[in-house]
Amino acid sequence: MTKKRIVVLYGGKADEHPISCISVASVLNAIDTERFEPIPVGITKNGSWIVDGEDPRGWNLDNGTLPEVKAVEGSREVVLDIALGQDGFFAKNGDSLESFGHVDAVFPVLHGPFGEDGTVQGLLEMMNVPYVGCGVLASAACMDKHYTKVLLAAAGIPVAPGITLDARSYDKDSKFAANGADILAQVQAAGLEYPLFVKPSRAGSSFGVTKVETENNADELAAAVFEASKHDWRVLIEQGINGREIECAVLAPKAGEQPRVSWPGEIVLDSRATDEDSFYDFDSKYMDSSASHVEVPANLPAETLERVRQTAAKAFVAVDGMGLSRVDSFVTPDGGVMVNEINTMPGFTSISMYPKAWEATGVGYSALITELIEGILR
């Protein structure tokens, strides 16, 4: 059997760069090399595409260091010829170009802006190259939490109450303190209940997220909005939901097929035993293995688990999802289900929720990668 040549993209310009690096290490170590010939292509933080850089297969977070794609001795720049499509991938050798050969598909293991937001997807669409994951619309809409909520609400799917701010005109010299009274007035007018979560609209991995608990404190609100604005000028202020965050993995490798949904899982914050106010931030996701653990299926009644699965499938369809997504929902004490966000290229390490949820549902990690790739091959 002729192996299919798969370009695997990782790194990127987003804050999530190191998480992409960890995800791709797991993917490259688990991909079926009897079926596929992976070609790792790293994207540096400044946006350069390279091959033959540091081997990402050995990357992890065990030593507390965040990995990074860098040009090193022997690495080569990647050049794309859009018009040549699947034959348009080249490595630069001095003044000449060396072809990758015919590329059967691309697996963009990229998280966040410039990877998960429709930009790379649009490039691959222009080249007419098959790729794993959601298309341009779903990728762009789900990267922007504001527009995710707009689409979900239009489909009749409950979302958290909140407001969206445009921070571009705010007073940076005062770190938005001068805008605090106006921000507070908007929160009050919307009737939002505390605690509040302030977050950038287009960022992932909990970057720039602040929990605000003190009611009617304009300074605290302004400081939280300023922190979020470091990652995006569009900032969401959402009402904290009294509920458990339950995550569902959705899979639809072939275009047009009905999405399959895993058993819902839950990230259990072990740190809550000593700190009731803790929440799932970047450190507890990636840097502190003792901070949390995954439970699949979540400890909920069977009818509630099924309601979560049905809501996840409905949300995936509402945003025109393809390939894969992780749908994160809140389950309230009365069993209600409210969608929080949709990740179109969720964390893909072997211990991330997406593969763990499918493993618990009967699809192993390597088989999951194979399904995703084979579903798009021509």
Side-chain angles (χ1 to χ4, degrees):
M1 182 177 68
T2 303
K3 294 182 182 181
K4 299 295 184 179
R5 189 171 289 117
I6 311 298
V7 166
V8 183
L9 295 175
Y10 62 97
K13 296 170 67 176
D15 291 331
E16 293 88 342
H17 180 108
I19 310 310
S20 169
C21 293
I22 299 303
S23 290
V24 85
S26 292
V27 169
L28 291 174
N29 282 315
I31 195 169
D32 186 349
T33 53
E34 295 296 314
R35 284 186 171 94
F36 309 117
E37 177 193 345
I39 303 176
V41 174
I43 304 176
T44 67
K45 287 185 175 181
N46 66 10
S48 298
W49 293 33
I50 62 171
V51 287
D52 302 328
E54 182 181 350
D55 188 350
R57 290 173 177 84
W59 284 342
N60 57 61
L61 293 175
D62 292 347
N63 61 3
T65 302
L66 298 176
E68 181 180 344
V69 177
K70 295 180 179 178
V72 297
E73 186 176 353
S75 62
R76 297 180 292 166
E77 228 181 297
V78 173
V79 176
L80 303 179
D81 187 328
I82 307 297
L84 293 180
Q86 291 175 260
D87 299 308
F89 293 80
F90 299 87
K92 199 171 183 180
N93 288 333
D95 294 330
S96 63
L97 297 176
E98 179 184 338
S99 173
F100 283 21
H102 184 77
V103 169
D104 293 286
V106 172
F107 193 160
V109 188
L110 297 166
H111 307 311
F114 306 105
E116 195 182 348
D117 61 353
T119 49
V120 165
Q121 290 75 15
L123 169 64
L124 296 172
E125 292 278 1
M126 289 175 65
M127 294 183 70
N128 195 29
V129 175
Y131 58 92
V132 170
C134 287
V136 175
L137 173 64
S139 298
C142 293
M143 186 72 246
D144 192 319
K145 298 176 180 66
H146 168 78
Y147 286 105
T148 305
K149 294 175 70 171
V150 169
L151 288 175
L152 294 177
I157 300 170
V159 295
I163 60 174
T164 302
L165 307 177
D166 182 339
R168 287 176 292 186
S169 63
Y170 289 177
D171 183 41
K172 292 182 180 178
D173 291 338
S174 70
K175 297 184 177 180
F176 297 177
N179 307 99
D182 176 61
I183 295 170
L184 176 59
Q186 292 186 63
V187 168
Q188 292 171 334
L192 302 183
E193 298 177 6
Y194 289 75
L196 305 173
F197 284 90
V198 182
K199 60 183 75 171
S201 190
R202 292 166 290 193
S205 299
S206 301
F207 286 108
V209 179
T210 302
K211 185 179 183 181
V212 176
E213 298 185 271
T214 307
E215 294 190 29
N216 302 322
N217 188 319
D219 290 339
E220 188 177 353
L221 264 177
V225 173
F226 181 72
E227 180 61 32
S229 75
K230 296 176 184 178
H231 302 272
D232 187 12
W233 57 262
R234 183 178 287 130
V235 176
L236 271 62
I237 301 179
E238 292 183 337
Q239 178 175 304
I241 302 300
N242 178 23
R244 292 158 59 183
E245 187 163 8
I246 307 298
E247 304 180 358
C248 230
V250 184
L251 179 65
K254 294 182 180 179
E257 72 177 357
Q258 289 298 308
R260 291 144 55 195
V261 185
S262 74
W263 282 114
E266 182 175 21
I267 303 291
V268 178
L269 285 178
D270 301 312
S271 56
R272 283 213 173 123
T274 56
D275 181 6
E276 292 183 358
D277 294 328
S278 64
F279 68 98
Y280 197 39
D281 60 6
F282 180 85
D283 285 345
S284 56
K285 278 184 179 180
Y286 303 112
M287 303 304 292
D288 184 359
S289 60
S290 66
S292 62
H293 68 276
V294 172
E295 289 185 359
V296 184
N299 184 18
L300 288 167
E303 60 269 23
T304 304
L305 291 175
E306 190 54 39
R307 195 176 304 119
V308 172
R309 296 177 81 182
Q310 291 172 359
T311 302
K314 184 177 179 181
F316 184 81
V317 172
V319 299
D320 195 30
M322 290 185 288
L324 75 160
S325 288
R326 194 190 72 230
V327 180
D328 300 346
S329 301
F330 293 116
V331 175
T332 58
D334 63 359
V337 179
M338 178 182 295
V339 173
N340 180 28
E341 62 181 6
I342 301 174
N343 292 273
T344 55
M345 185 53 70
F348 219 85
T349 74
S350 58
I351 60 171
S352 295
M353 175 60 84
Y354 188 88
K356 292 293 283 185
W358 278 116
E359 184 178 34
T361 313
V363 182
Y365 187 60
S366 292
L368 180 62
I369 294 169
T370 296
E371 273 207 62
L372 285 167
I373 296 173
E374 289 194 335
I376 58 167
L377 293 176
R378 294 170 178 161

